[in-house]
Amino acid sequence: MNATGGIKGASVIVVGGGVTGLSSAWWLARAGADVLVIEKGIVGWGASGRNGGGATHHQSPLFAEEQRLWPQMDELLGYPTEFQPKRIRMALSDRQLEEFKIGVDNTRGQGFPAEWLDAKQVRDLVPLAGNNVVGGVYYERGGHANPQRTVQAYAWALQDLGGRILQHTAVTGFQRSGGKVVAVETSAGVFACDTLILAAGPQTGRLSAQLDSEVPVTVARAEMIVTEPLPLMPIGGVDGNHLYGRQTLRGNLAYGGGPHEWLTPDDDAVAARPSSPLARNIAKRLAELFPKAAHIRVIRSWAGVIENTPDGRPVIDRLPTASNAIIATMSSVGFGLSPATGRAISQLVLAGHCDFADLSSFRLSRFGNLNPAWREERGWLPPQTDDDDARAA
Amino acid sequence: MRLLVIGAGPAGLAAALEAARRGVEVVLVDEHPVDNALMGLDVPFHFGQRMSGATRNKSRMMEAIAAADERIAEAFEAGVDVRLGVSAWGLFLPKPGLRWLTQSVVGLSDGDSTWYASFDAAIIAAGRRDIGLAFPGWELPGVMGVTAAQTLLHRYDALESQRIVILGSGAEATSFAEAAFAAGRTVVALVEVADAPRDGKGCERLAAHGVPVLTGTMVSRASGDANGVGNVTLRTLNDSDPEHFVSCDTVVLAVGTAPVVELLDVAGAEIGFVGSRGGHVPMTDRDGRTSIPGLFAAGDCAGVSAGKTSDPEIAAEEGRRAAAAACADLAQGSPSPRQTVIREGAATDDIEATQSAWVEAAMAVADPDTHVCQCEEVSLPDLLGVRPPRYLPRAQAPMLARNLTSLAHDGLVHQDQIKRLTRAGMGPCQGRRCREQVSAVLARATGTPLGKLPLPSYRAPVRPLPLSAFAEDSEPDVLAANWEGWFGIPGQWDPFWTLSDGARTEERS
Ligand SMILES: Cc1cc2nc3c(=O)[nH]c(=O)nc-3n(C[C@H](O)[C@H](O)[C@H](O)COP(=O)(O)OP(=O)(O)OC[C@H]3O[C@@H](n4cnc5c(N)ncnc54)[C@H](O)[C@@H]3O)c2cc1C
């Protein structure tokens, strides 16, 4: 709603119309809060509309809630998300099979079943699999949804509850008083707030720095390819061979993986999300994963930009420098968890704590002693180019 | 490779010859002859299944293409590396997000295999394609685009059509009608929604051959059987006149053409909407320089006009200018920047009003189940209601309350959003038949001028390629060593309960 109807503020302002921000806003609106989401482009134009749709995050304290909520989301939101339960991971080598062990242990550790499959069982469940399969794992709790439809479902459901979304509006700064953020400055004016949620994805570092907190993130580009539709497999959530992805409900195979290029903090996000010649390498691994799909045509590709924290885990916490500001970055694994993330954040706002999950591993303070050269240490740097060399010389 | 030229039409051939004359090493690729199976998908043109069986014989088609234009032989003789039957499906240049690329590369394919080639400068001369028009029955074989028809007739000598009705009366329509007539086909009529023919002179010449031009008229339906169109129903826009039937085996859509800007968009060149130059065009200077140094556009893909349609020499001249500028860049060792950008074409070429008139006429005759997007079966009511596809529940009350107007209330709508929600344009033809129609519907329903709508994105591969042909043959060791399902961050998948306080992760990683 670009016509704000003269309303210049909200009890809760959410910066970022991705799944994290929209889900938080929707849960808050369900609880009766007055919410405004400010998005610089269109909802879901960032990673939230460009991801693999996977929802199987057994490492996370939000896993049980992720799995509890997804099957209800269409009903709760009133719009389809295309959520499909279950996940199969297929291995094409013993080494790949070995790598699945952590997932099996995690899932069982969270109290849910995980079943090892032999090659024949995989082929029975995955019609596109070939003779190169050595085995796999079947997760009853797991699944996938359509990212773009899910984003729109959150947005519409939020509006249905009276929440507001301001698109094509960039947050440019903050006004503070007494250790709190009292207003948000945007390209469309200033908006007062009682509580601020920063769910700005790749912009997390820049915006939190404006509030004098350092939330360490580095931004990268990741890409996927899509084929024309194939008859539906009984379970669409199948991946392996170091690819992630799914067969969509329409039947397309949408898969990604590979080396992901690290970006500089000031790379323009739009310019930085081209797909690349890597598409053919993804295709090679996909053809190996599904030998029976070799004849099917690749018709599209896309790329998205995502942020990672040094340990690859979310930060969901109050900012030490602004007591009414909550920061939420999902460190590149935020789509599937979003129903649970939003609920947890809404509880942090309304009750001060989350009553269904232990969020201590999401604290910002864990990076208190971070080596300032953490990006260099990890090699999370953009490839050097001739231009850079020339500049250095 | 030094200079890459994509497209062996008038602009591309002239560019390649000019560059060769200046002693530059040139590779010229053209996707024709197109694989018969791809033609069946209406790629890259709307062939409407009217290609003859001869198109299955690739080597025969290769000869036909080479014979259709003597400058192809000339190019071979001039030492140009001419590759026919090779499509360019991607164009990748080093930039943020693609810094790992050390040089510009083009993705090429002959349908059986796929490869990359690097280049120092490129001239895109990818031509034009037809816009579709969804009236009832337009899904039947025999409904096709004028560029497809002209290409089959002229370049392939493989157009099956005998009795042809043409929608449109502009330069594309009249020049095709004359060529078809000369080739012994029956041109039953030209049908024009406007009150006057657009190419008056051309229509007069056709009238002399006894070809009627029916103005103020729309095709309200095409009917037929498994072989395709058997007749069309014509209706004057003045509803009181009775409908009448005309028998024909082909309906050629000449209601508008679009510059083929796919590769330019994939490469990231600046593209803007200029109605008087055919719609979305690269923003170039007079020499065809795009916003990307070293990347040029020439011919129809740089802007379509009636003048270019009737006189190929205009495109050829653009090709030569671009080649001269590219060769100067190459000699200089660094590309010179773009000069003043051409903003406008001739007002008489403005497509906004003419295309809208056609789309509105089609919207008026459409049945609720006429598919604007044939691949994904998306109808006009589906578009207007932003309805989810048929495999999803569509009757939930909140969903029914949503439509294009409510979406527009939330700010400028992007066609990619409509594509994601309705799936219009998501199919194997890659949106070629529906893209401009969806734009027009979107513009109309939201009261937005066409030119204000952002360009719906193009994605590599811009030709549908079988996984087996598209996939790399092997994975280099360095890639295998760096391949990750996700980011490969140590400890990222460790269960949260082993990290009672996240600080411990730091120690472990
Ligand atoms: C190719 C790919 C595949 C992926 N696969 C999966 C998967 O299978 N499963 C999974 O769970 N996750 C996956 N992810 C990760 C997932 O997409 C992200 O973690 C998730 O979408 C993050 O959501 P978000 O709302 O936190 O951030 P974003 O989606 O990045 O949203 C942030 C929003 O904030 C807006 N914004 C930023 N700055 C400002 C400002 N100053 N003012 C106003 N607005 C601003 C942005 O425009 C953006 O829309 C994948 C990501 C990619 C790119």
Side-chain angles (χ1 to χ4, degrees):
Chain A
M1 283 173 210
N2 267 4
T4 53
I7 308 158
K8 279 294 188 190
S11 170
V12 184
I13 288 184
V14 179
V15 184
V19 285
T20 306
L22 289 169
S23 174
S24 304
W26 172 70
W27 282 104
L28 283 162
R30 276 173 68 88
D34 163 37
V35 213
L36 170 67
V37 176
I38 303 178
E39 163 57 51
K40 69 177 157 70
I42 295 175
V43 290
W45 234 236
S48 293
R50 299 171 198 275
N51 60 69
T56 314
H57 299 108
H58 37 56
Q59 80 285 1
S60 173
L62 297 170
F63 178 60
E65 188 68 0
E66 173 189 54
Q67 298 309 315
R68 186 183 75 83
L69 286 172
W70 267 115
Q72 311 174 37
M73 289 310 281
D74 285 22
E75 190 69 38
L76 292 175
L77 295 167
Y79 300 89
T81 64
E82 299 190 25
F83 173 73
Q84 296 293 297
K86 304 184 175 74
R87 175 65 55 177
I88 291 178
R89 301 232 134 94
M90 318 170 16
L92 304 185
S93 69
D94 291 335
R95 217 181 111 203
Q96 289 183 2
L97 197 61
E98 186 85 350
E99 290 164 0
F100 296 161
K101 194 172 171 301
I102 185 166
V104 170
D105 291 348
N106 285 355
T107 306
R108 291 179 180 161
Q110 299 239 27
F112 298 112
E115 209 180 301
W116 288 102
L117 305 172
D118 65 25
K120 177 168 182 310
Q121 287 171 310
V122 173
R123 281 193 293 268
D124 287 346
L125 287 165
V126 184
L128 295 176
N131 291 329
N132 53 351
V133 178
V134 304
V137 190
Y138 168 71
Y139 298 106
E140 188 186 287
R141 301 301 160 89
H144 59 100
N146 178 329
Q148 298 152 353
R149 224 173 274 294
T150 301
V151 168
Q152 199 65 57
Y154 281 129
W156 281 341
L158 168 64
Q159 291 177 329
D160 290 344
L161 294 171
R164 285 165 292 145
I165 302 172
L166 192 57
Q167 297 190 131
H168 306 292
T169 305
V171 170
T172 52
F174 305 97
Q175 296 178 1
R176 284 184 283 177
S177 168
K180 290 186 170 184
V181 178
V182 293
V184 172
E185 296 168 351
T186 78
S187 52
V190 178
F191 294 84
C193 64
D194 302 322
T195 301
L196 176 73
I197 299 174
L198 281 182
Q203 300 291 320
T204 295
R206 187 180 297 177
L207 290 176
S208 49
Q210 289 190 359
L211 289 169
D212 304 316
S213 282
E214 194 201 346
V215 179
V217 290
T218 298
V219 177
R221 182 188 61 86
E223 65 191 295
M224 303 185 68
I225 61 170
V226 190
T227 71
E228 61 189 331
L230 278 160
L232 289 186
M233 298 192 283
I235 296 174
V238 184
D239 57 27
N241 203 22
H242 295 157
L243 295 178
Y244 61 86
R246 63 194 192 110
Q247 181 179 36
T248 68
L249 255 193
R250 173 71 176 96
N252 315 74
L253 303 175
Y255 284 83
H260 310 288
E261 181 165 323
W262 298 101
L263 307 177
T264 70
D266 43 57
D267 277 339
D268 168 54
V270 175
R273 55 178 192 228
S275 26
S276 87
L278 195 73
R280 293 185 55 218
N281 302 94
I282 299 175
K284 176 188 190 296
R285 282 181 174 255
L286 186 57
E288 288 166 358
L289 186 68
F290 297 131
K292 291 184 182 151
H295 61 288
I296 224 66
R297 291 185 168 90
V298 179
I299 57 173
R300 251 191 319 278
S301 65
W302 74 73
V305 172
I306 22 185
E307 75 285 6
N308 269 303
T309 64
D311 61 8
R313 291 168 190 275
V315 175
I316 298 180
D317 204 350
R318 275 176 197 279
L319 279 186
T321 49
S323 62
N324 64 338
I326 290 174
I327 181 82
T329 162
M330 296 308 292
S331 191
S332 82
V333 213
F335 173 74
L337 291 168
S338 64
T341 312
R343 181 156 179 249
I345 292 170
S346 73
Q347 290 194 350
L348 287 186
V349 171
L350 299 171
H353 71 282
C354 171
D355 69 7
F356 60 86
D358 169 10
L359 304 186
S360 58
S361 57
F362 296 169
R363 279 186 201 135
L364 179 59
S365 58
R366 70 184 189 271
F367 299 123
N369 298 321
L370 190 66
N371 176 353
W374 65 277
R375 293 183 180 90
E376 291 76 7
E377 201 174 71
R378 287 165 179 72
W380 292 5
L381 300 171
Q384 282 289 110
T385 63
D386 294 348
D387 284 356
D388 298 332
D389 294 345
R391 232 174 280 138
Chain B
M1 180 196 302
R2 301 212 69 198
L3 178 66
L4 164 72
V5 180
I6 297 174
L13 273 166
L17 281 166
E18 178 66 24
R21 197 179 66 75
R22 289 167 182 258
V24 163
E25 186 189 329
V26 191
V27 176
L28 171 65
V29 301
D30 193 290
E31 64 190 319
H32 297 285
V34 174
D35 186 60
N36 176 270
L38 221 47
M39 284 185 167
L41 289 177
D42 287 334
V43 176
F45 299 139
H46 188 177
F47 291 107
Q49 318 301 330
R50 279 297 179 256
M51 57 284 187
S52 73
T55 56
R56 284 201 199 90
N57 183 338
K58 195 156 183 176
S59 52
R60 196 171 136 196
M61 288 303 110
M62 205 71 100
E63 287 162 21
I65 298 287
D69 192 332
E70 61 206 13
R71 284 163 309 169
I72 291 182
E74 237 180 274
F76 273 113
E77 275 159 34
V80 174
D81 182 356
V82 184
R83 312 277 184 90
L84 298 180
V86 171
S87 65
W89 53 265
L91 198 59
F92 307 101
L93 298 95
K95 59 180 166 183
L98 271 183
R99 289 192 178 87
W100 65 267
L101 269 186
T102 49
Q103 44 188 342
S104 302
V105 297
V106 59
L108 298 173
S109 178
D110 62 8
D112 297 323
S113 61
T114 304
W115 65 95
Y116 294 115
S118 63
F119 58 87
D120 299 318
I123 298 175
I124 313 299
R128 60 168 80 178
R129 66 174 167 76
D130 307 303
I131 72 164
L133 193 69
F135 54 84
W138 88 297
E139 287 154 273
L140 284 169
V143 178
M144 69 188 308
V146 68
T147 309
Q150 184 73 281
T151 304
L152 286 180
L153 182 67
H154 173 66
R155 292 181 86 181
Y156 287 75
D157 189 16
L159 177 67
E160 279 217 318
S161 315
Q162 293 302 329
R163 287 182 60 80
I164 304 169
V165 167
I166 301 174
L167 264 59
S169 64
E172 306 87 1
T174 54
S175 58
F176 170 69
E178 287 180 70
F181 183 83
R185 306 313 203 274
T186 306
V187 179
V188 183
L190 266 62
V191 176
E192 170 60 56
V193 277
D195 291 334
R198 282 172 50 214
D199 173 14
K201 287 216 179 81
C203 287
E204 272 169 33
R205 283 196 302 274
L206 288 167
H209 294 309
V211 177
V213 182
L214 311 172
T215 52
T217 305
M218 173 66 187
V219 170
S220 59
R221 177 173 304 277
S223 312
D225 55 25
N227 294 324
V229 178
N231 63 67
V232 293
T233 311
L234 300 178
R235 180 196 285 178
T236 55
L237 297 187
N238 172 0
D239 268 340
S240 56
D241 296 338
E243 293 189 329
H244 68 283
F245 298 90
V246 173
S247 89
C248 60
D249 57 40
T250 299
V251 179
V252 167
L253 303 179
V255 301
T257 56
V260 174
V261 298
E262 329 164 304
L263 288 170
L264 292 159
D265 188 38
V266 164
E270 185 195 351
I271 290 174
F273 186 93
V274 184
S276 54
R277 294 176 59 211
H280 280 108
V281 286
M283 297 283 97
T284 66
D285 65 12
R286 272 176 47 96
D287 291 334
R289 283 191 189 83
T290 67
S291 61
I292 299 177
L295 184 63
F296 296 76
D300 284 346
C301 74
V304 174
S305 66
K308 277 192 195 173
T309 304
S310 17
D311 180 10
E313 189 45 36
I314 300 177
E317 180 53 27
E318 286 181 9
R320 282 189 290 270
R321 286 185 73 94
C327 291
D329 278 6
L330 290 171
Q332 190 181 299
S334 73
S336 37
R338 182 173 62 170
Q339 308 294 310
T340 314
V341 169
I342 311 172
R343 296 274 164 204
E344 292 297 332
T348 45
D349 283 325
D350 202 327
I351 58 145
E352 197 153 351
T354 51
Q355 284 189 11
S356 306
W358 280 108
V359 172
E360 272 173 37
M363 287 170 83
V365 297
D367 288 336
D369 58 357
T370 305
H371 296 140
V372 176
C373 169
Q374 297 189 18
C375 297
E376 298 290 320
E377 305 191 339
V378 184
S379 69
L380 186 59
D382 294 343
L383 284 172
L384 295 172
V386 226
R387 284 152 82 178
R390 275 155 232 276
Y391 60 81
L392 291 174
R394 312 177 92 197
Q396 285 160 297
M399 194 63 240
L400 292 175
R402 297 285 171 180
N403 54 40
L404 277 185
T405 320
S406 72
L407 205 61
H409 188 66
D410 294 340
L412 181 63
V413 178
H414 196 298
Q415 190 168 325
D416 283 356
Q417 211 177 352
I418 308 309
K419 168 171 140 185
R420 294 160 165 204
L421 294 171
T422 64
R423 297 197 60 85
M426 283 259 203
C429 95
Q430 299 177 311
R432 287 186 177 78
R433 293 175 298 194
C434 70
R435 178 181 264 273
E436 289 74 22
Q437 295 184 80
V438 175
S439 307
V441 170
L442 188 57
R444 208 182 108 119
T446 62
T448 317
L450 262 186
K452 287 269 167 346
L453 293 175
L455 173 72
S457 61
Y458 286 97
R459 308 280 186 187
V462 300
R463 296 292 176 271
L465 293 166
L467 205 45
S468 54
F470 187 61
E472 281 285 359
D473 298 331
S474 63
E475 188 172 276
D477 290 345
V478 36
L479 192 58
N482 287 292
W483 193 279
E484 296 288 353
W486 202 222
F487 281 88
I489 302 174
Q492 184 171 26
W493 312 122
D494 287 359
F496 73 94
W497 57 87
T498 60
L499 338 148
S500 60
D501 187 318
R504 296 243 307 277
T505 333
E506 257 314 279
E507 290 155 31
R508 292 164 337 124
S509 62

